Amino acid sequence: MAINTLRSVVVLDCPEPGKLADFYARMLGGRVEGEGRWVEVTFDSGTLAGRTLAFQEAEGHVPPRWPSAERSQQFHLDLYVPREELDAAEREVLELGAELLEGDDGGRRDFRVYRDPAGHPFCLCTG
């Protein structure tokens, strides 16, 4: 028997939950709910419908460093986009405040690695 039910939610520690929630809501087409130390992004339609990303204030937050054994990423999000839309998607995430960490090696790989405004790595993937 299961002890409980796993909610469809991922929680990211960060210094400013509202700011990071806004970044992901704008990037993924979600809605920011709440304020303060815990903020959520919810999705009403598409492939993320019914899922939640949550952002929790963490005092003294030390962002992961990718790649690094000393400050490992611990997890990352893979976000899929059609290959023909990858360059446009990259422009959008950079305008929202992401930072490119590693390109796709001139199209030889099917992903590019970025850092969100709080330092968490994520990938735009075409595979």
Side-chain angles (χ1 to χ4, degrees), residues 53-74:
L53 279 176
F55 305 89
Q56 174 177 276
E57 183 179 338
E59 290 186 32
H61 175 259
V62 177
R65 185 169 291 144
W66 186 92
S68 170
E70 293 80 34
R71 288 179 31 201
S72 70
Q73 65 179 333
Q74 298 175 4

Side-chain angles (χ1 to χ4, degrees), residues 14-100:
C14 59
E16 299 177 80
K19 182 178 176 181
L20 195 57
D22 183 64
F23 170 82
Y24 279 99
R26 292 174 50 181
M27 182 171 58
L28 300 172
R31 182 178 63 251
V32 175
E33 296 183 2
E35 58 184 58
R37 296 181 55 93
W38 181 276
V39 180
E40 295 183 348
V41 175
T42 59
F43 303 91
D44 295 327
S45 61
T47 59
L48 295 175
R51 293 192 168 92
T52 302
L53 279 176
F55 305 89
Q56 174 177 276
E57 183 179 338
E59 290 186 32
H61 175 259
V62 177
R65 185 169 291 144
W66 186 92
S68 170
E70 293 80 34
R71 288 179 31 201
S72 70
Q73 65 179 333
Q74 298 175 4
F75 85 100
H76 72 270
L77 299 172
D78 281 345
L79 309 171
Y80 290 90
V81 297
R83 177 159 298 278
E84 64 272 9
E85 296 176 20
L86 183 59
D87 290 335
E90 177 173 279
R91 283 191 297 277
E92 288 183 44
V93 299
L94 295 175
E95 287 174 11
L96 291 171
E99 176 186 348
L100 177 66

Side-chain angles (χ1 to χ4, degrees), residues 10 14 20 25 34 40 88 92-93 96 104 114-115 124-126:
V10 172
C14 59
L20 195 57
E40 295 183 348
E92 288 183 44
V93 299
L96 291 171
D104 60 4
Y114 304 84
R115 178 183 3 249
L124 293 182
C125 303
T126 61

